[in-house]
Amino acid sequence: MKFEIITLFPEMFSAIKEEGVIARAIKKSIISISEWQLRDFSANKYKNIDDKPYGGGGGMVMQVKPIRDCIAKIKEQTPETKVIYLSPQGQQLNQSLVEKLASFNSLTLLCGRYEGVDERIIENDIDFEVSIGDYVISGGELAAMILIDSVSRRLPNVLGNQDSLKDSFTDGLLDYPHYTRPEIVNGQAVPEVLLGGNQAKIDAWRHEQSVEKTNQKRPDLLTK
Ligand code: 4FV
């Protein structure tokens, strides 16, 4: 999977490229992450890529041309890339959308800043508009990192053997409770079934727990 990132803050992505799952996936050449500095596509010597909003109102809007030129440059190398704009107006990122995005071999992530991008980019140049949640953050970069991490976990050989298949939501349920040593903490013991070594009984208990926890914490998931 090739991730192409269009951003005003490319250095922010070093946060995920040097540590953990993503760093290992890059080392194993399962994924690549390339940042594109949008200012390099500015048409003026001040490297501006935004301007005042028509109709007035505070803030600035990111202009069409620098973004469109950057996307064109990326598509010269990877014409099949899917362009994703991270914004509060997007479809909510969830595990099933993550699965869908993980099926492509290249994703271009457009990170908004200021009030966002000119609407004509959303109408003409974007394949998916994606939101990480109903709240506003200062830029799309953090949302892009969440998308990169969640999608990468679904790619073969990124996580240990079947681990990612046990992730929450993969079967539409919340995860079952986890326990580790010591067996007793302040008089509170680990559930007996987990100590019995009968894997079939353990798996059945874990599934019951997932259903019960989902019913308690996210009953909406059970009606989907
Ligand atoms: C956001 C979200 C988000 C909006 C204005 C960046 C900010 C600024 N992105 N899910 N929620 N973006 O708040 O994806 O451009």
Side-chain angles (χ1 to χ4, degrees), residues 32 49-50 95:
S32 66
I49 55 86
D50 60 322
Q95 201 63 26

Side-chain angles (χ1 to χ4, degrees), residues 85-88 112-116 130-133 135-140 143:
Y85 174 49
L86 291 305
S87 98
R113 282 277 160 171
Y114 318 118
E115 299 314 304
V130 174
S131 172
I132 58 168
Y135 43 83
V136 178
I137 52 180
S138 315

Side-chain angles (χ1 to χ4, degrees), residues 1-3 25 30-31 101-104 148 150-159 164:
M1 168 74 80
K2 288 174 68 172
F3 292 104
I30 300 170
I31 69 170
L101 297 176
S103 69
F104 300 114
I148 291 169
S150 56
V151 166
S152 299
R153 295 171 62 82
R154 305 303 298 145
L155 303 174
N157 308 319
V158 166
L159 293 183
S164 66

